[in-house]
Amino acid sequence: MKTITVFTPTYNRAYCLSQLYESLCRQTSDDFKWLIVDDGSTDSTAELIEKWIKEEKICINYHYKENGGMHTGHNMALKLITTELNMCIDSDDYVPNDSIEKIINFWKSNKRGNYAGILGLNRYKNGNLVSTKKFPDNIKSGKYSLLKRKFDLVGDVKFVYVTDVIKKQDDYPVFTNEKFVPLGYKYSKIDMEYDMLFFNETLCIVDYLPDGSTRNMFKQYYKNPKGFAFSRIESLKGLYSLNEKYIICIHLVAESLLSGQSPFYNNSNKLLTLLSFPFGVLLYFLILLRNIK
């Protein structure tokens, strides 16, 4: 049994998957599986991965599904993963040569306690941190949602989760004619119950490609308003400051207007939503403006 599964939801990314595959082949530890969930690709992804499986350089599991969006790829992956730990590496990213070895050694040395996993660092290809800073050197563990408020640490970090912990969470919901639900929904729920270990090592090299969701967020807001509204309502239940919840409410108003739903339905903070309404309307029109063809 391997210790960790690296899973990759992918859609028509045959042109860039090779850098991730090659980085996994270079790992100083082979104590991992690579699980690829193909979200209905129509390019040469299947043929490419079949070739890699035949090479037998690393352990690869490949699963094809009908196109449903990245969050549905996560749903399937978490049903298939059986290792103690798991880490999502997107199809346009890759890992440093010793990433797996560092994760496993750190986890084995520090996993005592009620931890949901590890938070590591992401870097761009030029070596710069994606987050504004590293984790505090004098703090061993804590909650992800409190990093910004307590330590002024903003920006993406890398999650390595205990599989049993994340499997306890409900699946990401599926909305008709939509193909995106923000992944932070599960992270926020886990944050309510567990701490994460802080690990000041680079675990992933990221590259936000032009066709990725990060580079096209306003388009995602426009095309997937129900998914975003759901995520905002769930976020209001999380460990966020009043100011952070106010910003969440602004987005909730805009996305609810786009979806034709009420921003107050199942909402635990109706007063704050009401106060955010004017700015939410402005964001709604901004999203419409950014998506005019």
Side-chain angles (χ1 to χ4, degrees):
M1 173 68 74
K2 304 290 188 181
T3 300
I4 185 170
T5 297
V6 175
F7 73 94
T8 303
T10 188
Y11 175 69
N12 286 348
R13 285 294 184 85
Y15 70 92
C16 67
L17 268 172
S18 293
Q19 72 171 351
L20 174 53
Y21 170 65
E22 291 165 3
S23 74
L24 291 172
C25 290
R26 293 193 299 266
Q27 290 304 298
T28 54
S29 169
D30 65 355
D31 194 5
F32 71 95
K33 298 178 180 179
W34 187 25
L35 169 62
I36 304 115
V37 177
D38 186 343
D39 190 33
S41 293
T42 57
D43 62 359
S44 59
T45 295
E47 293 80 6
L48 184 65
I49 295 170
E50 182 181 359
K51 183 187 76 170
W52 292 339
I53 291 173
K54 289 179 179 178
E55 290 177 355
E56 296 185 342
K57 291 183 178 180
I58 58 174
C59 179
I60 300 176
N61 293 328
Y62 172 72
H63 290 267
Y64 181 90
K65 61 181 284 297
E66 291 186 7
N67 181 252
M70 181 169 60
H71 63 296
T72 64
H74 278 248
N75 286 343
M76 173 168 276
L78 291 172
K79 287 178 171 62
L80 296 169
I81 293 170
T82 58
T83 54
E84 181 181 5
L85 302 174
N86 68 84
M87 172 175 65
C88 178
I89 301 293
D90 290 336
S91 53
D92 50 357
D93 301 338
Y94 63 97
V95 289
N97 296 350
D98 57 357
S99 183
I100 298 296
E101 182 179 9
K102 284 182 175 178
I103 290 168
I104 293 172
N105 289 341
F106 181 77
W107 179 245
K108 288 181 177 178
S109 300
N110 296 279
K111 67 177 179 178
R112 296 173 298 277
N114 191 33
Y115 297 121
I118 300 167
L119 291 180
L121 301 174
N122 288 333
R123 289 187 185 273
Y124 296 110
K125 286 185 173 181
N126 64 8
N128 293 336
L129 280 173
V130 177
S131 54
T132 51
K133 60 177 67 174
K134 293 184 176 183
F135 304 110
D137 290 328
N138 60 332
I139 306 293
K140 176 183 177 181
S141 62
K143 295 188 179 297
Y144 167 68
S145 58
L146 300 180
L147 285 172
K148 179 179 179 181
R149 193 187 318 164
K150 283 190 172 183
F151 309 120
D152 194 30
L153 192 156
V154 183
D156 286 346
V157 294
K158 179 50 61 182
F159 292 82
V160 180
Y161 273 119
V162 175
T163 300
D164 287 345
V165 170
I166 197 167
K167 278 193 172 189
K168 291 178 183 177
Q169 309 305 317
D170 294 336
D171 282 355
Y172 293 104
V174 177
F175 297 98
T176 303
N177 298 323
E178 293 195 11
K179 293 185 177 179
F180 188 87
V181 173
L183 301 177
Y185 153 63
K186 284 194 180 187
Y187 308 162
S188 180
K189 290 186 70 175
I190 291 171
D191 226 28
M192 300 286 285
E193 298 183 52
Y194 299 89
D195 284 356
M196 300 286 284
L197 288 163
F198 298 157
F199 191 31
N200 270 322
E201 293 287 344
T202 302
L203 303 182
C204 181
I205 308 298
V206 305
D207 188 11
Y208 298 124
L209 296 180
D211 61 345
S213 60
T214 303
R215 288 280 192 93
N216 296 278
M217 195 52 65
F218 273 90
K219 183 182 293 184
Q220 297 286 11
Y221 293 156
Y222 183 73
K223 295 176 67 176
N224 306 283
K226 292 179 182 177
F228 276 98
F230 165 83
S231 177
R232 308 302 182 191
I233 288 172
E234 290 298 317
S235 295
L236 289 174
K237 303 172 186 176
L239 303 174
Y240 295 100
S241 68
L242 185 63
N243 183 60
E244 288 169 329
K245 287 188 176 183
Y246 185 69
I247 295 171
I248 291 169
C249 285
I250 291 172
H251 282 267
L252 172 59
V253 169
E255 288 140 11
S256 296
L257 290 173
L258 286 166
S259 68
Q261 296 180 325
S262 169
F264 302 103
Y265 181 69
N266 284 338
N267 186 340
S268 62
N269 207 321
K270 293 179 172 59
L271 177 59
L272 199 61
T273 304
L274 182 63
L275 293 173
S276 70
F277 215 91
F279 291 103
V281 172
L282 288 175
L283 178 58
Y284 163 71
F285 282 112
L286 178 59
I287 294 171
L288 290 179
L289 183 63
R290 292 287 294 270
N291 284 277
I292 293 174
K293 293 183 179 180

